């Protein structure tokens, strides 16, 4: 065998041995127990603090919003997609007899022109779909600088919820 091929094989062997050595030293102990990932990762994620309650919890106290939303275009949206994380609110809201919650437990009510267009902003780059085949899967877009911007009578800027019911737009 020529000398330079021998050297090449030697160099490869060193790299492979080094790789295997480092791999056994650096690999987390729980890796591979259940699958190609750290088994500990599941436990670590479980320990994280919860922030969201889920719509089912909300509608126990807010039945009216559920019945409104169910039949409208926003039926598939989670309450907290608009109102923000509400786990603490859902847990403690009924602890206040007069129904007056402290500010820290109040949830935000997003109805401004800026907030609705988080989802409805006109996006020129989006693919134009002629027929929406999957049940309203394409969110309708508007241009917030044009779509019913001002009240023509007094030139006041209109917020979205002046015309659209957020729970049944
Ligand atoms: C245990 C009952 C209960 C649960 C569960 C609950 N709420 Fe409430 N919610 C209340 C009460 C009580 C108020 C205060 C009513 C008021 O001030 O008029 C309130 C008020 C609100 C408000 C109005 C805040 C404001 O500024 O007027 C929003 C929005 C709201 N809840 C959303 C939610 C969402 C979203 C969830 C689910 C994460 C939820 N609620 C779960 C009882 C509950
Ligand atoms: C598209 C965003 C959106 C979604 C989804 C949504 N809300 Fe709202 N919600 C709003 C806005 C905006 C307001 C403020 C309405 C107003 O001031 O007229 C509001 C108001 C409320 C209020 C206060 C009502 C009042 O009379 O002050 C409650 C309670 C509430 N929402 C609960 C819910 C619950 C429960 C769900 C899920 C079933 C939900 N919302 C889903 C946007 C949303
Ligand atoms: C989290 C994303 C999200 C937010 C925030 C949101 N929407 Fe929607 N909206 C949707 C989806 C999804 C649909 C159903 C698909 C469709 O019809 O465009 C929808 C549908 C609608 C429609 C019916 C469009 C049609 O098909 O004729 C109107 C009107 C509307 N939304 C207004 C609003 C208003 C007003 C707000 C603010 C209070 C708002 N939306 C906030 C996701 C959102
Ligand atoms: C002056 C009342 C008014 C205001 C304010 C208003 N809208 Fe509308 N919106 C309408 C009417 C009426 C329609 C149906 C006719 C049309 O498409 O213009 C509509 C249609 C829509 C549609 C469906 C468009 C489509 O392609 O079918 C969406 C989404 C929507 N509005 C979102 C919003 C958002 C987001 C805001 C706030 C930035 C807003 N609207 C403010 C009256 C209003």
């Amino acid at each position: 065998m020529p000398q330079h091929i021998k050297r090449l094989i030697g160099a490869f062997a060193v790299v492979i041995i080094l790789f295997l050595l480092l791999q056994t030293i650096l690999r987390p102990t729980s890796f591979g127990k259940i699958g190609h990932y750290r088994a500990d990762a599941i436990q670590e994620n479980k320990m994280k603090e919860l922030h969201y309650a889920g719509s089912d919890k909300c509608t126990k106290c807010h039945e009216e919003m559920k019945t409104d939303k169910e039949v409208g275009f926003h039926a598939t949206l989670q309450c907290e997609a608009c109102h923000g994380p509400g786990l603490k609110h859902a847990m403690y809201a009924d602890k206040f007899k007069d129904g007056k919650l402290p500010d820290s437990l109040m949830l935000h009510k997003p109805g401004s022109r800026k907030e609705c267009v988080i989802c409805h902003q006109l996006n020129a780059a989006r693919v134009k779909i002629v027929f929406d085949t999957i049940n309203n899967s394409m969110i309708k877009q508007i241009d917030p600088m044009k779509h019913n911007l001002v009240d023509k009578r007094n030139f006041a800027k209109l917020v979205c919820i002046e015309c659209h019911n957020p729970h049944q737009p």
Side-chain angles (χ1 to χ4, degrees):
M1 196 186 286
Q3 188 71 16
H4 65 280
I5 298 287
K6 276 189 198 155
R7 284 203 187 123
L8 209 58
I9 291 173
F12 265 103
V14 169
V15 169
I16 289 168
I17 288 166
L18 220 75
F19 172 76
L20 291 175
L21 217 70
L22 279 176
Q23 201 201 22
T24 40
I25 295 168
L26 297 178
R27 185 165 53 191
T29 45
S30 72
F31 182 87
K33 268 190 191 153
I34 329 179
H36 197 77
Y37 55 88
R38 281 184 315 117
D40 286 351
I42 298 174
Q43 202 55 39
E44 278 163 28
N45 278 313
K46 263 196 201 160
M47 309 276 282
K48 280 186 185 154
E49 199 192 335
L50 296 177
H51 298 284
Y52 290 87
S55 292
D56 292 346
K57 290 258 164 50
C58 312
T59 49
K60 276 192 189 125
C61 298
H62 300 292
E63 187 69 34
E64 184 193 326
M65 277 74 200
K66 183 187 176 189
T67 40
D68 264 7
K69 208 164 76 62
E70 257 169 6
V71 294
F73 282 107
H74 280 168
T76 53
L77 296 191
Q78 288 282 325
C79 311
E80 289 159 300
C82 290
H83 290 294
L87 182 68
K88 287 216 174 80
H89 171 90
M91 279 166 75
Y92 301 117
D94 55 357
K95 301 275 185 288
F96 301 87
K97 288 257 155 33
D98 53 358
K100 286 235 178 308
L101 311 184
D103 284 352
S104 62
L105 284 186
M106 282 305 245
L107 291 179
H108 180 53
K109 294 191 282 186
S112 71
R113 297 192 79 90
K114 279 207 186 100
E115 287 162 314
C116 295
V117 295
I118 290 173
C119 294
H120 288 290
Q121 172 80 276
L122 181 72
N123 180 354
R126 195 173 85 175
V127 182
K128 301 277 177 299
I129 302 268
V130 185
F131 302 109
D132 193 356
T133 44
I134 313 165
N135 230 347
N136 289 313
S137 59
M138 298 298 285
I139 296 182
K140 295 277 194 312
Q141 306 172 319
I142 52 110
D143 181 349
M145 299 313 286
K146 288 192 185 132
H147 178 79
N148 296 310
L149 187 60
V150 287
D151 190 331
K152 298 224 166 54
R153 285 158 300 176
N154 54 14
F155 298 101
K157 209 164 177 184
L158 288 162
V159 291
C160 310
I161 55 170
E162 202 141 322
C163 303
H164 298 282
N165 173 354
H167 302 127
Q168 206 184 80

